[in-house]
Amino acid sequence: MSRRAQTELAVLGGLSIEPMTGYALRAAITETLGHFWHESFGQIYPTLAALEKAGLVERGEPGLTSGSQFAITSTGRQRLYDLLSAPIEPTPPRNALLLRLFFGRLLEPAGCRSLIAEVQQRATRDLESYAAFRAELEHADDPNAAYMLLTVAAGEHSARATLSWADEALAILAKIN
Amino acid sequence: MSRRAQTELAVLGGLSIEPMTGYALRAAITETLGHFWHESFGQIYPTLAALEKAGLVERGEPGLTSGSQFAITSTGRQRLYDLLSAPIEPTPPRNALLLRLFFGRLLEPAGCRSLIAEVQQRATRDLESYAAFRAELEHADDPNAAYMLLTVAAGEHSARATLSWADEALAILAKIN
DNA sequence: TATGTCATGTAACTGGTTACATGATTGC
DNA sequence: GCAATCATGTAACCAGTTACATGACATA
């Protein structure tokens, strides 16, 4: 599965929930998938155009007050299922924080500690937003809610892992010298 | 800090440990930083050439049995310090697994379970390699060892988080229907 | 002498972001 | 009238991978 197809998956997936404009799609991806996915306009509009050409989405007549609503077609839905079923190709890792810490001797423990403090703050903030999202999902009457919860849970476990790692990391740094 | 600079950081960082050929540098990055970083030849050689031109690394005379050893210069070391100190620009997230699970309703619980089983296996394998790496580092007489340990610990916490998330995810899926 | 590894490099391509251009509508 | 938001799109650029070309040396 080409990486190009990943954007297709996100777009078709979004439209499978409900039809919307390209602009709204981008907003939905940012708000709802923002913790684990990202698309820019420069990807979304060309992808929508290509999907339309291939008959996987349909563009509704633009209304007076808004743009064209894009809707997924039945072949589009089939394509979405195929994309979901395709094996995941692992992407090469690139963790800028760990790259810095690996060569952290030049930064001295103090420099490393400030890097760690940053991710602690971020993880703490993330946990709050996950908690809010989880509460929403648990009261939602949506057949997708359980699946969405899987992604929220992933974020929570990951953020808690970050916090417990940070504790260990600070302990390791404290022992230097 | 441009993303271009990230490769520079990895290259200068590698050469700050010891001088080596481009080929060896790539091998070192793959073996040692492989859990959190990646560089391809297509990045490394042009970067080395650019760094040489800028006087940040020096190319030794190629021996008979090997290629040129690249060594970091003192200005290169200064540049490495600057790169390490530069603020980290967060990269937009793209987690293919979570993207699929979010739209997992089309895959049904069974399809989701097999995706989860895959990451469980991977995390379990990773934990083994981290344990080996940790054991090595704890007996190493290297001033960098403690910093390297930070990155191993990050991998361990992350892999354990994956496993505990997988348990929760399977429990959530079991409750569907 | 054939195979594998060490070694260096480039060209083509893909994926993706950023910045810009454009214009309608909404609310102050 | 002005600013913000909604909306669509494109062009230029950057990062990064992949595939290829080349050749030396080691060893079975």
Side-chain angles (χ1 to χ4, degrees), chain B residues 124-141:
Chain B
T124 306
R125 260 185 288 123
D126 285 351
L127 275 180
E128 283 166 35
S129 76
Y130 291 134
F133 203 168
R134 177 182 274 270
E136 236 177 89
L137 285 175
E138 279 169 351
H139 299 110
D141 182 28

Side-chain angles (χ1 to χ4, degrees), chain B residues 2-99:
Chain B
S2 77
R3 268 150 89 190
R4 181 93 189 75
Q6 305 269 77
T7 296
E8 243 177 69
L9 174 41
V11 165
L12 289 174
L15 296 182
S16 82
I17 309 276
E18 59 175 343
M20 49 190 136
T21 67
Y23 188 87
L25 183 58
R26 207 271 177 118
I29 290 173
T30 304
E31 277 163 44
T32 318
L33 317 184
H35 290 298
F36 59 86
W37 202 258
H38 174 87
E39 295 293 347
S40 64
F41 283 131
Q43 291 278 101
I44 286 180
Y45 284 115
T47 301
L48 279 171
L51 289 173
E52 187 191 13
K53 211 171 148 197
L56 305 180
V57 304
E58 277 169 350
R59 188 189 303 239
E61 279 308 295
L64 287 175
T65 76
S66 69
S68 329
Q69 304 274 122
F70 288 88
I72 192 170
T73 64
S74 64
T75 39
R77 222 169 262 279
Q78 178 58 49
R79 167 88 173 135
L80 173 56
Y81 180 79
D82 293 344
L83 289 173
L84 285 169
S85 307
I88 294 178
E89 290 171 20
T91 50
R94 287 206 136 195
N95 185 319
L97 171 70
L98 295 185
L99 182 62

Side-chain angles (χ1 to χ4, degrees), chain B residues 81-119:
Chain B
Y81 180 79
D82 293 344
L83 289 173
L84 285 169
S85 307
I88 294 178
E89 290 171 20
T91 50
R94 287 206 136 195
N95 185 319
L97 171 70
L98 295 185
L99 182 62
R100 278 159 184 75
L101 291 178
F102 190 90
F103 300 114
R105 197 169 155 234
L106 282 108
L107 278 181
E108 315 263 329
C112 296
R113 271 192 281 271
S114 75
L115 287 175
I116 293 167
E118 260 176 67
V119 298

Side-chain angles (χ1 to χ4, degrees), chain A residues 108-140:
Chain A
E108 314 263 329
C112 296
R113 271 192 280 270
S114 76
L115 287 174
I116 293 167
E118 262 178 65
V119 299
Q120 276 178 319
Q121 280 167 38
R122 193 163 190 295
T124 306
R125 262 186 286 123
D126 285 352
L127 274 179
E128 282 167 36
S129 77
Y130 291 135
F133 203 169
R134 178 182 273 270
E136 239 177 84
L137 285 175
E138 279 169 352
H139 299 109

